[in-house]
């Protein structure tokens, strides 16, 4: 048996041109960021954590925040320092307002193989609501520029279920999205996050979130339209043409460890320890060790993580793997009830969501988590 040694590296780049009113990620408004100091701190953190991981990473992901604000030479420096395997997938999230054909070419030359472009909406009525810093015309143009820049793959990130959006609005947005012909699409329903201006807007009655039935109709509509155009749904919110699934995210969904670096980044070490970094860019730049929280391996917490992440992916939840790692498995009565309810399928030791189960993935994972018990072997 050859041990699986794949792991991924995630770098959180927290600065954005401005803060979007729906976003609860750890971000800072970019007011003259010292990018060189940031790259130095990332290199120092990689050196600190790297000894826990064997061999080179098989994927690298620059997420944010807005990584595309970082100068391309620093991407080159960080990719070189991480030294991933030959043929590694190296992704970066890109906001349309930051890039030109020249910067896209520079990112590709710096070792980025996959661009994840935050389009969010291509509807001129909803872009101001989301306070996105780019116009819809720019979003369409950047999709073309990215397609022409020669990345191995790229993804368009879009949101639906925007306050006031109708099924017809969404359909028109999908037309504009599909005209750009992205090989991969991430489509997230907007969630109203605690502490955001959107949450306050909803509380005041100024914003009305779409109701549950409309949400469900929209989700099913998205899935049907993307399937019709040859996209395979391989995760609750992710769709890809053959050969274009995100390899980095697959590591999260299949329980591989990952090295998270940068302010607020999380990581999972090969021994099962989880950690989270301080969500404070200024302190991050000056701290020798940016760790904020360390959670040693704990079987139940780990089994719940496995349920939540694995069930989202079409490869599903492997009961035997969960038992090997944690000694726990969901009771068969709970599994049987969810199968009878049409939300789950079981083949051998693998549980998979059915198409009807996808929209309620978190609820199904929650039911199975409540039913975790020591596995009789
Ligand atoms: C945090 S952003 C980072 C990338 C880039 N700055 C951008 O805005 O596209 C990554 C993704 O998070 C998702 N996101 C952020 N806030 C969300 C919310 N409240 N509900 C649903 N998705 C959200 C968006 O789909 C976005 O593509
Ligand atoms: S959605 Fe993206 S651009 Fe907007 S604040 Fe969040 S990370 Fe920044």
């Amino acid at each position: 048996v050859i041990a699986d040694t794949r792991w991924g590296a995630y770098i959180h780049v927290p600065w954005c041109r401005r803060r979007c009113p729906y976003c609860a990620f750890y971000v800072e408004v970019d007011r003259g960021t010292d990018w060189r100091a940031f790259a130095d701190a990332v290199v120092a953190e990689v050196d600190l954590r790297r000894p826990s991981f064997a061999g080179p990473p098989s994927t690298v992901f620059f997420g944010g925040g807005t990584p595309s604000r970082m100068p391309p030479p620093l991407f080159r420096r960080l990719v070189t320092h991480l030294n991933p395997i030959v043929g590694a997938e190296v992704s970066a999230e890109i906001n349309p307002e930051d890039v030109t054909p020249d910067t896209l070419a520079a990112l590709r030359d710096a070792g980025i193989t996959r661009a994840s472009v935050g389009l969010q909406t291509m509807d001129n009525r909803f872009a101001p609501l989301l306070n996105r810093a780019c116009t819809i015309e720019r979003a369409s143009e950047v999709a073309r520029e990215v397609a022409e820049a020669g990345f191995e793959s790229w993804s368009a990130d879009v949101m639906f279920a925007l306050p006031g959006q109708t099924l017809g609005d969404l359909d028109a947005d999908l037309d504009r999205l599909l005209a750009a012909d992205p090989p991969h699409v991430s489509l997230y329903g907007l969630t109203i996050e605690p502490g955001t201006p959107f949450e306050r807007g909803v509380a005041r009655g100024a914003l009305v979130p779409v109701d549950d039935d409309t949400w469900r109709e929209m989700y099913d509509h998205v899935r049907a339209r993307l399937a019709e155009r040859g996209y395979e749904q391989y995760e609750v919110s992710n769709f890809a043409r053959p050969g274009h699934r995100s390899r980095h995210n697959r590591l999260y969904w299949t329980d591989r460890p990952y090295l998270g670096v940068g302010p607020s980044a999380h990581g999972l070490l090969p021994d099962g320890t989880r950690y989270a970094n301080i969500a404070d860019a200024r302190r991050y730049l000056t701290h020798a060790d940016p760790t904020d929280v360390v959670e040693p391996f704990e079987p139940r917490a780990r089994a719940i993580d496995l349920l939540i992440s694995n069930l989202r992916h079409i490869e599903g939840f492997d009961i035997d793997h969960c038992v090997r790692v944690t000694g726990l498995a969901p009771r068969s009565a709970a599994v049987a009830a969810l199968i009878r309810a049409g939300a789950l399928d079981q083949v051998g030791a693998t549980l998979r969501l059915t198409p009807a189960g996808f929209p309620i993935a978190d609820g199904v994972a929650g039911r199975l988590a409540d039913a975790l018990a020591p596995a009789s072997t």
Side-chain angles (χ1 to χ4, degrees):
V1 179
I2 300 168
D4 187 348
T5 56
R6 289 170 308 130
W7 59 279
Y10 173 83
I11 301 98
H12 189 78
V13 185
W15 292 278
C16 296
R17 175 170 296 204
R18 60 200 201 201
R19 201 182 293 270
C20 304
Y22 53 86
C23 179
F25 283 76
Y26 169 64
V27 300
E28 297 278 350
V29 175
D30 181 4
R31 297 189 178 91
T33 298
D34 184 346
W35 291 105
R36 194 179 296 269
F38 176 66
D40 288 343
V42 167
V43 164
E45 191 189 355
V46 169
D47 291 345
L48 177 77
R49 302 202 188 276
R50 181 76 181 247
S52 302
F53 293 82
S58 53
T59 60
V60 177
F61 193 104
F62 292 91
T66 310
S68 50
R69 301 191 74 76
M70 184 164 79
L74 296 178
F75 280 93
R76 183 197 297 277
R77 175 164 175 225
L78 296 180
V79 174
T80 305
H81 193 71
L82 283 159
N83 191 22
I85 61 167
V86 174
E89 176 188 273
V90 182
S91 308
E93 288 181 333
I94 285 173
N95 278 30
E97 65 273 16
D98 292 329
V99 291
T100 63
D102 285 348
T103 46
L104 289 169
L107 285 171
R108 197 203 54 218
D109 293 343
I112 303 302
T113 66
R114 181 175 182 275
S116 180
V117 187
L119 300 177
Q120 309 314 344
T121 179
M122 296 174 85
D123 186 327
N124 267 326
R125 284 162 309 156
F126 289 99
L129 175 74
L130 298 181
N131 195 27
R132 296 294 290 181
C134 81
T135 63
I136 303 318
E137 290 67 29
R138 179 66 196 134
S140 312
E141 196 175 69
V142 86
R144 199 171 51 248
E145 291 172 4
V146 168
E148 286 167 2
F151 295 104
E152 284 169 28
S153 192
W154 68 280
S155 176
D157 289 9
V158 179
M159 293 194 297
F160 70 95
L162 310 178
Q165 193 180 33
T166 65
L167 197 58
D169 295 335
L170 174 63
D171 196 48
D173 223 10
L174 288 171
D175 284 339
R176 289 181 286 262
L177 172 71
L178 291 170
D181 207 27
H184 183 284
V185 178
S186 293
L187 246 152
Y188 286 91
L190 177 81
T191 51
I192 304 296
E193 299 288 344
T196 59
F198 265 31
E199 187 199 38
R200 293 190 285 279
V202 169
R204 276 202 317 274
L207 285 179
V208 182
V210 302
D211 61 60
D212 288 352
D213 288 346
T214 310
W215 193 99
R216 181 59 198 268
E217 251 183 308
M218 286 181 162
Y219 183 67
D220 286 341
H221 186 69
V222 162
R223 294 198 295 174
R225 283 218 53 193
L226 291 175
E228 188 185 285
R229 287 286 297 260
Y231 294 88
E232 213 181 351
Q233 180 175 22
Y234 70 101
E235 199 262 352
V236 172
S237 308
N238 285 279
F239 305 80
R241 292 245 160 88
H244 289 277
R245 292 184 188 180
S246 157
R247 281 187 267 153
H248 180 79
N249 286 342
R250 181 168 181 270
L251 297 181
Y252 300 145
W253 295 317
T254 54
D255 196 35
R256 297 305 310 159
Y258 54 96
L259 166 74
V261 296
S264 83
H266 295 221
L268 171 65
L269 302 182
D271 71 2
T273 307
R274 287 191 177 279
Y275 64 88
N277 281 348
I278 44 176
D280 183 332
R282 206 165 335 157
R283 281 175 58 208
Y284 180 80
L285 295 181
T286 53
H287 269 53
D289 181 347
T291 311
D292 182 22
V293 184
V294 176
E295 284 174 19
F297 173 80
E298 197 278 309
R300 180 165 294 270
R302 184 62 183 277
I304 293 172
D305 283 346
L306 286 175
L307 280 167
I308 292 171
S309 59
N310 298 8
L311 274 177
R312 293 181 63 89
H313 195 274
I314 51 163
E315 286 172 48
F317 172 80
D318 180 349
I319 299 173
D320 290 345
H321 176 75
C322 186
V323 172
R324 271 195 305 276
V325 174
T326 69
L328 300 169
R331 282 196 204 85
S332 44
V335 172
L338 287 162
I339 291 174
R340 270 198 311 279
L344 211 56
D345 269 338
Q346 178 163 11
V347 177
T350 302
L351 301 179
R352 287 196 187 88
L353 292 172
T354 61
F358 266 119
I360 51 167
D362 291 344
V364 174
R367 294 270 288 277
L368 294 173
D370 290 343
L372 282 170
S376 42
T377 42

